[in-house]
């Protein structure tokens, strides 16, 4: 599973960094190496430390798995958008009621399979969902969906690629709330990725 593969590598790299005498070049190499696992070719252009944090600036080339047309569109969108408010993006608020319901049920499913043997502690879960940037209506919809067992096959049936694209990063964040990804969560994330790519 994802966490079992990545976590030991991260811990090893952190230990190497802590004991490195050539800190800056080692850190630069490590960051590029980590991003390389994701197929992202990145170069560190600035590295500094302050206020208990490491500040890094990156120059990112087209990822290996990125279509050339999509990459050019990303660059074009970045160059033409003047402010975040002016960026035209897919937002769950703009979804139809059916699409919003589908996304709420998908995220509820991730929560359910993340802890199949225990009941959901809504008091602790709600602020975590809000911290992920989910709107209040979306959070309330997830709470409602949690009252009914969700089935992945039903959720994937007729799933819109736009809904999958918006749901995927939120689903990953939800799956990682407990710092591990079980088999059911992994299956759902892979299915969302496939649905997102299907145009």
């Amino acid at each position: 599973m994802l966490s079992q593969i990545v976590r030991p590598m991260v811990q090893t790299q952190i230990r190497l960094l802590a004991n490195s005498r050539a800190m800056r070049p080692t850190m630069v190499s490590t960051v590029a190496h980590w991003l390389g696992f994701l197929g992202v070719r990145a170069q560190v252009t600035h590295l500094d430390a302050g206020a208990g944090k490491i500040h890094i600036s990156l120059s990112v080339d087209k990822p290996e798995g990125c279509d050339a047309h999509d990459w050019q569109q990303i660059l074009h969108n970045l160059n033409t958008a003047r402010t975040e408010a002016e960026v035209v993006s897919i937002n769950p608020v703009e979804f139809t009621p059916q699409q919003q319901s589908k996304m709420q049920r998908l995220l509820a499913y991730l929560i359910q399979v993340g802890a199949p043997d225990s009941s959901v502690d809504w008091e602790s879960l709600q602020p975590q969902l809000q911290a992920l940037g989910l709107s209040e209506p979306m959070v309330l919809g997830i709470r409602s969906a949690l009252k009914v067992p969700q089935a992945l096959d039903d959720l994937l049936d007729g799933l819109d690629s736009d809904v999958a694209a918006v749901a995927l990063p939120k689903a990953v964040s939800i799956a990682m709330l407990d710092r591990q990804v079980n088999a059911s969560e992994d299956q759902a994330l892979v299915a969302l990725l496939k649905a997102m790519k299907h145009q």
Side-chain angles (χ1 to χ4, degrees), residues 1-61:
M1 288 182 288
L2 180 63
S3 62
Q4 295 174 337
I5 296 171
V6 174
R7 191 178 302 173
M9 290 192 301
V10 172
Q11 291 172 339
T12 301
Q13 291 295 321
I14 290 173
R15 182 64 58 85
L16 290 172
L17 284 170
N19 294 293
S20 174
R21 294 183 180 179
M23 174 52 67
R24 286 183 178 273
T26 303
M27 174 66 81
V28 167
S29 173
T30 299
V31 170
H33 189 63
W34 284 352
L35 290 171
F37 286 129
L38 304 176
V40 176
R41 292 174 290 174
Q43 179 181 2
V44 176
T45 58
H46 176 77
L47 176 65
D48 199 2
K53 297 182 179 180
I54 298 173
H55 306 276
I56 300 176
S57 296
L58 299 173
S59 174
V60 179
D61 200 355

Short mmCIF file of all heavy atoms in Angstrom, two decimals, residues 1-61:
data_model
loop_
_atom_site.label_atom_id
_atom_site.label_comp_id
_atom_site.label_asym_id
_atom_site.label_seq_id
_atom_site.Cartn_x
_atom_site.Cartn_y
_atom_site.Cartn_z
N MET A 1 0.84 -1.19 0.00
CA MET A 1 0.00 0.00 0.00
C MET A 1 0.88 1.24 0.00
O MET A 1 2.05 1.19 0.37
CB MET A 1 -0.93 -0.02 1.20
CG MET A 1 -2.04 -1.06 1.08
SD MET A 1 -3.18 -1.04 2.49
CE MET A 1 -2.14 -1.76 3.73
N LEU A 2 0.29 2.36 -0.37
CA LEU A 2 1.03 3.61 -0.54
C LEU A 2 1.84 3.99 0.69
O LEU A 2 3.04 4.25 0.60
CB LEU A 2 0.05 4.73 -0.90
CG LEU A 2 0.65 6.10 -1.13
CD1 LEU A 2 1.59 6.08 -2.33
CD2 LEU A 2 -0.44 7.14 -1.35
N SER A 3 1.21 4.01 1.85
CA SER A 3 1.91 4.46 3.05
C SER A 3 3.04 3.52 3.43
O SER A 3 4.09 3.95 3.92
CB SER A 3 0.92 4.59 4.22
OG SER A 3 0.36 3.33 4.52
N GLN A 4 2.86 2.21 3.21
CA GLN A 4 3.89 1.25 3.55
C GLN A 4 5.10 1.37 2.65
O GLN A 4 6.21 1.01 3.03
CB GLN A 4 3.32 -0.17 3.48
CG GLN A 4 2.24 -0.44 4.52
CD GLN A 4 1.58 -1.79 4.34
OE1 GLN A 4 1.58 -2.35 3.24
NE2 GLN A 4 0.99 -2.31 5.40
N ILE A 5 4.89 1.88 1.44
CA ILE A 5 6.00 2.07 0.51
C ILE A 5 6.71 3.39 0.76
O ILE A 5 7.94 3.47 0.84
CB ILE A 5 5.49 2.03 -0.95
CG1 ILE A 5 4.94 0.64 -1.27
CG2 ILE A 5 6.60 2.38 -1.93
CD1 ILE A 5 4.23 0.55 -2.59
N VAL A 6 5.91 4.46 0.90
CA VAL A 6 6.48 5.80 0.96
C VAL A 6 7.08 6.14 2.32
O VAL A 6 8.18 6.71 2.40
CB VAL A 6 5.41 6.86 0.58
CG1 VAL A 6 5.95 8.26 0.79
CG2 VAL A 6 4.97 6.65 -0.86
N ARG A 7 6.39 5.78 3.40
CA ARG A 7 6.82 6.22 4.73
C ARG A 7 8.24 5.78 5.09
O ARG A 7 9.04 6.59 5.56
CB ARG A 7 5.83 5.76 5.79
CG ARG A 7 6.07 6.41 7.15
CD ARG A 7 5.04 5.98 8.16
NE ARG A 7 3.70 6.30 7.72
CZ ARG A 7 2.61 5.91 8.37
NH1 ARG A 7 2.71 5.19 9.46
NH2 ARG A 7 1.41 6.25 7.93
N PRO A 8 8.62 4.50 4.87
CA PRO A 8 10.00 4.12 5.19
C PRO A 8 11.03 4.89 4.38
O PRO A 8 12.11 5.24 4.89
CB PRO A 8 10.03 2.63 4.84
CG PRO A 8 8.62 2.19 4.93
CD PRO A 8 7.81 3.36 4.46
N MET A 9 10.72 5.20 3.10
CA MET A 9 11.65 5.96 2.28
C MET A 9 11.82 7.37 2.83
O MET A 9 12.92 7.91 2.89
CB MET A 9 11.17 6.02 0.83
CG MET A 9 11.25 4.70 0.10
SD MET A 9 11.00 4.87 -1.68
CE MET A 9 9.38 5.58 -1.75
N VAL A 10 10.70 7.98 3.23
CA VAL A 10 10.76 9.34 3.78
C VAL A 10 11.56 9.35 5.07
O VAL A 10 12.41 10.23 5.29
CB VAL A 10 9.33 9.89 4.01
CG1 VAL A 10 9.39 11.21 4.77
CG2 VAL A 10 8.61 10.07 2.69
N GLN A 11 11.31 8.38 5.95
CA GLN A 11 12.03 8.32 7.22
C GLN A 11 13.53 8.15 6.99
O GLN A 11 14.35 8.76 7.69
CB GLN A 11 11.47 7.18 8.08
CG GLN A 11 10.06 7.46 8.58
CD GLN A 11 9.44 6.25 9.28
OE1 GLN A 11 9.87 5.12 9.07
NE2 GLN A 11 8.41 6.50 10.08
N THR A 12 13.89 7.31 6.03
CA THR A 12 15.30 7.10 5.71
C THR A 12 15.94 8.39 5.20
O THR A 12 17.05 8.77 5.62
CB THR A 12 15.46 5.99 4.65
OG1 THR A 12 14.90 4.78 5.17
CG2 THR A 12 16.92 5.77 4.31
N GLN A 13 15.23 9.08 4.29
CA GLN A 13 15.77 10.32 3.74
C GLN A 13 15.91 11.39 4.82
O GLN A 13 16.88 12.15 4.82
CB GLN A 13 14.86 10.83 2.61
CG GLN A 13 14.88 9.97 1.37
CD GLN A 13 16.23 9.96 0.68
OE1 GLN A 13 16.90 10.99 0.61
NE2 GLN A 13 16.64 8.82 0.19
N ILE A 14 14.96 11.47 5.73
CA ILE A 14 15.04 12.45 6.81
C ILE A 14 16.25 12.17 7.69
O ILE A 14 16.98 13.09 8.09
CB ILE A 14 13.74 12.45 7.64
CG1 ILE A 14 12.60 13.06 6.81
CG2 ILE A 14 13.92 13.23 8.95
CD1 ILE A 14 11.24 12.97 7.46
N ARG A 15 16.49 10.90 8.01
CA ARG A 15 17.65 10.54 8.82
C ARG A 15 18.95 10.91 8.11
O ARG A 15 19.89 11.43 8.73
CB ARG A 15 17.62 9.03 9.10
CG ARG A 15 18.74 8.52 9.99
CD ARG A 15 18.68 9.10 11.39
NE ARG A 15 17.42 8.82 12.04
CZ ARG A 15 17.14 7.71 12.71
NH1 ARG A 15 18.05 6.76 12.79
NH2 ARG A 15 15.98 7.55 13.29
N LEU A 16 18.99 10.69 6.78
CA LEU A 16 20.18 11.07 6.01
C LEU A 16 20.40 12.58 6.02
O LEU A 16 21.53 13.07 6.14
CB LEU A 16 20.06 10.57 4.56
CG LEU A 16 20.16 9.04 4.37
CD1 LEU A 16 19.83 8.67 2.94
CD2 LEU A 16 21.54 8.55 4.76
N LEU A 17 19.28 13.32 5.89
CA LEU A 17 19.38 14.78 5.92
C LEU A 17 19.89 15.27 7.27
O LEU A 17 20.71 16.18 7.36
CB LEU A 17 18.02 15.41 5.62
CG LEU A 17 17.56 15.39 4.17
CD1 LEU A 17 16.10 15.83 4.08
CD2 LEU A 17 18.44 16.29 3.31
N ALA A 18 19.39 14.67 8.35
CA ALA A 18 19.77 15.10 9.69
C ALA A 18 21.25 14.88 9.96
O ALA A 18 21.86 15.60 10.76
CB ALA A 18 18.93 14.36 10.73
N ASN A 19 21.84 13.90 9.28
CA ASN A 19 23.25 13.58 9.52
C ASN A 19 24.16 14.04 8.38
O ASN A 19 25.34 13.68 8.36
CB ASN A 19 23.40 12.06 9.72
CG ASN A 19 22.71 11.58 10.98
OD1 ASN A 19 23.14 11.92 12.08
ND2 ASN A 19 21.65 10.82 10.83
N SER A 20 23.62 14.82 7.46
CA SER A 20 24.42 15.26 6.32
C SER A 20 25.23 16.52 6.66
O SER A 20 24.73 17.44 7.28
CB SER A 20 23.50 15.56 5.13
OG SER A 20 24.25 16.11 4.06
N ARG A 21 26.48 16.52 6.24
CA ARG A 21 27.32 17.71 6.42
C ARG A 21 27.11 18.69 5.27
O ARG A 21 27.29 19.88 5.42
CB ARG A 21 28.79 17.30 6.51
CG ARG A 21 29.11 16.47 7.75
CD ARG A 21 30.57 16.14 7.84
NE ARG A 21 30.87 15.36 9.02
CZ ARG A 21 32.07 14.92 9.34
NH1 ARG A 21 33.10 15.18 8.54
NH2 ARG A 21 32.26 14.21 10.44
N ALA A 22 26.76 18.16 4.11
CA ALA A 22 26.49 19.02 2.94
C ALA A 22 24.98 19.19 2.84
O ALA A 22 24.33 18.64 1.95
CB ALA A 22 27.06 18.38 1.68
N MET A 23 24.41 19.96 3.79
CA MET A 23 22.96 20.03 3.93
C MET A 23 22.26 20.54 2.68
O MET A 23 21.32 19.93 2.19
CB MET A 23 22.61 20.90 5.13
CG MET A 23 21.11 21.17 5.28
SD MET A 23 20.08 19.68 5.25
CE MET A 23 20.58 18.91 6.76
N ARG A 24 22.67 21.69 2.17
CA ARG A 24 21.93 22.30 1.05
C ARG A 24 21.90 21.42 -0.20
O ARG A 24 20.83 21.15 -0.73
CB ARG A 24 22.47 23.70 0.74
CG ARG A 24 22.05 24.72 1.78
CD ARG A 24 22.53 26.12 1.44
NE ARG A 24 22.06 27.05 2.46
CZ ARG A 24 20.88 27.65 2.42
NH1 ARG A 24 20.06 27.44 1.41
NH2 ARG A 24 20.51 28.46 3.40
N PRO A 25 23.04 20.96 -0.69
CA PRO A 25 22.96 20.10 -1.90
C PRO A 25 22.22 18.80 -1.64
O PRO A 25 21.53 18.28 -2.53
CB PRO A 25 24.44 19.84 -2.25
CG PRO A 25 25.23 20.23 -1.05
CD PRO A 25 24.44 21.26 -0.34
N THR A 26 22.32 18.28 -0.41
CA THR A 26 21.60 17.05 -0.09
C THR A 26 20.10 17.30 -0.08
O THR A 26 19.31 16.49 -0.59
CB THR A 26 22.04 16.51 1.29
OG1 THR A 26 23.46 16.30 1.28
CG2 THR A 26 21.35 15.20 1.60
N MET A 27 19.67 18.43 0.50
CA MET A 27 18.25 18.77 0.53
C MET A 27 17.71 18.99 -0.88
O MET A 27 16.63 18.51 -1.23
CB MET A 27 18.03 20.03 1.38
CG MET A 27 16.59 20.55 1.35
SD MET A 27 15.41 19.43 2.11
CE MET A 27 15.64 19.82 3.83
N VAL A 28 18.45 19.70 -1.70
CA VAL A 28 18.05 19.96 -3.08
C VAL A 28 17.87 18.65 -3.83
O VAL A 28 16.88 18.42 -4.53
CB VAL A 28 19.08 20.87 -3.79
CG1 VAL A 28 18.83 20.88 -5.30
CG2 VAL A 28 19.02 22.28 -3.23
N SER A 29 18.84 17.76 -3.67
CA SER A 29 18.78 16.46 -4.34
C SER A 29 17.61 15.63 -3.82
O SER A 29 16.92 14.96 -4.60
CB SER A 29 20.09 15.70 -4.09
OG SER A 29 20.01 14.39 -4.59
N THR A 30 17.36 15.69 -2.52
CA THR A 30 16.28 14.90 -1.91
C THR A 30 14.92 15.35 -2.41
O THR A 30 14.06 14.52 -2.75
CB THR A 30 16.33 15.01 -0.37
OG1 THR A 30 17.59 14.49 0.08
CG2 THR A 30 15.20 14.22 0.27
N VAL A 31 14.70 16.67 -2.46
CA VAL A 31 13.41 17.19 -2.93
C VAL A 31 13.15 16.76 -4.37
O VAL A 31 12.06 16.30 -4.72
CB VAL A 31 13.37 18.73 -2.80
CG1 VAL A 31 12.14 19.29 -3.52
CG2 VAL A 31 13.35 19.13 -1.34
N ALA A 32 14.17 16.91 -5.21
CA ALA A 32 14.02 16.50 -6.61
C ALA A 32 13.75 15.00 -6.70
O ALA A 32 12.95 14.54 -7.52
CB ALA A 32 15.27 16.87 -7.40
N HIS A 33 14.40 14.23 -5.83
CA HIS A 33 14.23 12.78 -5.82
C HIS A 33 12.81 12.40 -5.42
O HIS A 33 12.17 11.55 -6.05
CB HIS A 33 15.25 12.16 -4.86
CG HIS A 33 15.32 10.67 -4.92
ND1 HIS A 33 15.72 9.98 -6.03
CD2 HIS A 33 15.03 9.74 -3.98
CE1 HIS A 33 15.68 8.68 -5.79
NE2 HIS A 33 15.26 8.50 -4.55
N TRP A 34 12.30 13.03 -4.37
CA TRP A 34 10.93 12.74 -3.91
C TRP A 34 9.91 13.05 -4.99
O TRP A 34 9.00 12.27 -5.24
CB TRP A 34 10.62 13.55 -2.65
CG TRP A 34 11.25 13.02 -1.40
CD1 TRP A 34 11.92 11.84 -1.25
CD2 TRP A 34 11.28 13.66 -0.12
NE1 TRP A 34 12.37 11.70 0.04
CE2 TRP A 34 12.00 12.80 0.76
CE3 TRP A 34 10.80 14.86 0.37
CZ2 TRP A 34 12.21 13.12 2.10
CZ3 TRP A 34 11.00 15.16 1.71
CH2 TRP A 34 11.71 14.31 2.55
N LEU A 35 10.05 14.21 -5.62
CA LEU A 35 9.11 14.57 -6.67
C LEU A 35 9.24 13.64 -7.88
O LEU A 35 8.28 13.40 -8.59
CB LEU A 35 9.33 16.03 -7.09
CG LEU A 35 8.90 17.07 -6.05
CD1 LEU A 35 9.36 18.46 -6.47
CD2 LEU A 35 7.40 17.06 -5.84
N GLY A 36 10.44 13.12 -8.05
CA GLY A 36 10.66 12.19 -9.15
C GLY A 36 9.83 10.93 -9.02
O GLY A 36 9.44 10.32 -10.02
N PHE A 37 9.54 10.52 -7.77
CA PHE A 37 8.68 9.36 -7.56
C PHE A 37 7.30 9.58 -8.16
O PHE A 37 6.60 8.64 -8.53
CB PHE A 37 8.53 9.05 -6.07
CG PHE A 37 9.75 8.44 -5.45
CD1 PHE A 37 10.29 8.96 -4.29
CD2 PHE A 37 10.37 7.34 -6.02
CE1 PHE A 37 11.42 8.40 -3.71
CE2 PHE A 37 11.49 6.77 -5.45
CZ PHE A 37 12.02 7.30 -4.29
N LEU A 38 6.89 10.85 -8.22
CA LEU A 38 5.57 11.19 -8.76
C LEU A 38 5.63 11.49 -10.26
O LEU A 38 4.63 11.88 -10.85
CB LEU A 38 5.02 12.42 -8.02
CG LEU A 38 4.92 12.31 -6.50
CD1 LEU A 38 4.44 13.62 -5.90
CD2 LEU A 38 3.98 11.17 -6.11
N GLY A 39 6.81 11.32 -10.84
CA GLY A 39 6.96 11.62 -12.26
C GLY A 39 7.12 13.09 -12.55
O GLY A 39 6.96 13.53 -13.68
N VAL A 40 7.45 13.88 -11.51
CA VAL A 40 7.61 15.33 -11.67
C VAL A 40 9.09 15.66 -11.73
O VAL A 40 9.86 15.32 -10.83
CB VAL A 40 6.96 16.09 -10.49
CG1 VAL A 40 7.21 17.59 -10.61
CG2 VAL A 40 5.47 15.79 -10.43
N ARG A 41 9.49 16.35 -12.80
CA ARG A 41 10.87 16.80 -12.93
C ARG A 41 10.96 18.22 -12.41
O ARG A 41 10.42 19.15 -13.01
CB ARG A 41 11.31 16.72 -14.39
CG ARG A 41 11.43 15.28 -14.90
CD ARG A 41 11.72 15.25 -16.38
NE ARG A 41 10.57 15.70 -17.16
CZ ARG A 41 10.58 15.88 -18.47
NH1 ARG A 41 11.67 15.67 -19.16
NH2 ARG A 41 9.49 16.27 -19.09
N ALA A 42 11.61 18.38 -11.28
CA ALA A 42 11.66 19.69 -10.63
C ALA A 42 13.10 20.07 -10.28
O ALA A 42 13.94 19.20 -10.00
CB ALA A 42 10.80 19.70 -9.37
N GLN A 43 13.36 21.37 -10.31
CA GLN A 43 14.67 21.90 -9.92
C GLN A 43 14.44 22.92 -8.81
O GLN A 43 13.58 23.79 -8.92
CB GLN A 43 15.35 22.56 -11.12
CG GLN A 43 16.71 23.15 -10.76
CD GLN A 43 17.37 23.82 -11.98
OE1 GLN A 43 16.77 23.86 -13.05
NE2 GLN A 43 18.57 24.34 -11.80
N VAL A 44 15.19 22.79 -7.72
CA VAL A 44 15.07 23.73 -6.61
C VAL A 44 15.82 25.01 -6.99
O VAL A 44 17.00 24.98 -7.30
CB VAL A 44 15.66 23.14 -5.32
CG1 VAL A 44 15.62 24.16 -4.19
CG2 VAL A 44 14.88 21.89 -4.92
N THR A 45 15.10 26.14 -6.97
CA THR A 45 15.72 27.42 -7.34
C THR A 45 16.00 28.29 -6.12
O THR A 45 16.73 29.27 -6.22
CB THR A 45 14.79 28.20 -8.30
OG1 THR A 45 13.51 28.39 -7.68
CG2 THR A 45 14.60 27.42 -9.60
N HIS A 46 15.41 27.96 -4.97
CA HIS A 46 15.66 28.71 -3.75
C HIS A 46 15.43 27.81 -2.55
O HIS A 46 14.46 27.05 -2.51
CB HIS A 46 14.74 29.94 -3.65
CG HIS A 46 14.89 30.71 -2.37
ND1 HIS A 46 15.94 31.55 -2.13
CD2 HIS A 46 14.12 30.72 -1.25
CE1 HIS A 46 15.82 32.08 -0.92
NE2 HIS A 46 14.71 31.59 -0.37
N LEU A 47 16.33 27.88 -1.57
CA LEU A 47 16.21 27.07 -0.37
C LEU A 47 16.65 27.90 0.83
O LEU A 47 17.73 28.48 0.83
CB LEU A 47 17.09 25.82 -0.50
CG LEU A 47 17.17 24.89 0.71
CD1 LEU A 47 15.81 24.28 0.98
CD2 LEU A 47 18.21 23.79 0.48
N ASP A 48 15.79 27.99 1.82
CA ASP A 48 16.10 28.78 3.00
C ASP A 48 15.34 28.20 4.19
O ASP A 48 14.38 27.44 4.02
CB ASP A 48 15.71 30.25 2.78
CG ASP A 48 16.41 31.18 3.75
OD1 ASP A 48 17.22 30.70 4.55
OD2 ASP A 48 16.13 32.40 3.70
N ALA A 49 15.76 28.57 5.39
CA ALA A 49 15.08 28.11 6.60
C ALA A 49 14.78 29.30 7.49
O ALA A 49 15.57 30.24 7.59
CB ALA A 49 15.95 27.09 7.34
N GLY A 50 13.62 29.25 8.14
CA GLY A 50 13.23 30.32 9.06
C GLY A 50 11.91 30.02 9.70
O GLY A 50 11.05 29.35 9.12
N ALA A 51 11.73 30.50 10.93
CA ALA A 51 10.47 30.33 11.67
C ALA A 51 10.07 28.86 11.80
O ALA A 51 8.90 28.51 11.73
CB ALA A 51 9.35 31.14 11.03
N GLY A 52 11.08 28.00 11.94
CA GLY A 52 10.79 26.59 12.14
C GLY A 52 10.35 25.86 10.89
O GLY A 52 9.85 24.73 10.98
N LYS A 53 10.53 26.47 9.71
CA LYS A 53 10.11 25.85 8.46
C LYS A 53 11.21 25.96 7.42
O LYS A 53 12.11 26.80 7.52
CB LYS A 53 8.83 26.51 7.92
CG LYS A 53 7.63 26.35 8.84
CD LYS A 53 6.40 27.00 8.23
CE LYS A 53 5.19 26.83 9.13
NZ LYS A 53 3.97 27.45 8.56
N ILE A 54 11.13 25.09 6.42
CA ILE A 54 12.04 25.16 5.28
C ILE A 54 11.27 25.76 4.11
O ILE A 54 10.19 25.29 3.76
CB ILE A 54 12.57 23.75 4.90
CG1 ILE A 54 13.36 23.15 6.07
CG2 ILE A 54 13.43 23.82 3.64
CD1 ILE A 54 13.77 21.71 5.85
N HIS A 55 11.82 26.80 3.50
CA HIS A 55 11.17 27.48 2.38
C HIS A 55 11.88 27.09 1.09
O HIS A 55 13.09 27.26 0.96
CB HIS A 55 11.23 29.01 2.58
CG HIS A 55 10.66 29.43 3.91
ND1 HIS A 55 9.32 29.62 4.11
CD2 HIS A 55 11.27 29.67 5.10
CE1 HIS A 55 9.12 29.98 5.36
NE2 HIS A 55 10.28 30.01 6.00
N ILE A 56 11.10 26.55 0.16
CA ILE A 56 11.67 26.05 -1.09
C ILE A 56 10.91 26.63 -2.28
O ILE A 56 9.68 26.66 -2.29
CB ILE A 56 11.59 24.50 -1.15
CG1 ILE A 56 12.37 23.88 0.01
CG2 ILE A 56 12.12 23.98 -2.48
CD1 ILE A 56 12.25 22.38 0.08
N SER A 57 11.64 27.08 -3.28
CA SER A 57 11.05 27.48 -4.55
C SER A 57 11.47 26.46 -5.61
O SER A 57 12.62 26.03 -5.63
CB SER A 57 11.52 28.88 -4.97
OG SER A 57 11.06 29.84 -4.04
N LEU A 58 10.52 26.09 -6.47
CA LEU A 58 10.78 25.07 -7.46
C LEU A 58 10.52 25.56 -8.87
O LEU A 58 9.65 26.39 -9.09
CB LEU A 58 9.88 23.85 -7.22
CG LEU A 58 10.00 23.10 -5.89
CD1 LEU A 58 8.90 22.05 -5.79
CD2 LEU A 58 11.36 22.44 -5.77
N SER A 59 11.26 25.02 -9.80
CA SER A 59 10.98 25.16 -11.22
C SER A 59 10.59 23.78 -11.70
O SER A 59 11.37 22.84 -11.61
CB SER A 59 12.21 25.67 -11.97
OG SER A 59 11.97 25.66 -13.36
N VAL A 60 9.35 23.64 -12.18
CA VAL A 60 8.82 22.32 -12.51
C VAL A 60 8.65 22.18 -14.02
O VAL A 60 8.01 23.01 -14.66
CB VAL A 60 7.47 22.09 -11.79
CG1 VAL A 60 6.90 20.72 -12.17
CG2 VAL A 60 7.64 22.20 -10.29
N ASP A 61 9.21 21.10 -14.56
CA ASP A 61 9.06 20.79 -15.98
C ASP A 61 7.83 19.90 -16.16
O ASP A 61 7.22 19.46 -15.18
CB ASP A 61 10.30 20.06 -16.48
CG ASP A 61 10.45 20.11 -17.99
OD1 ASP A 61 9.52 20.64 -18.65
OD2 ASP A 61 11.46 19.64 -18.51
#
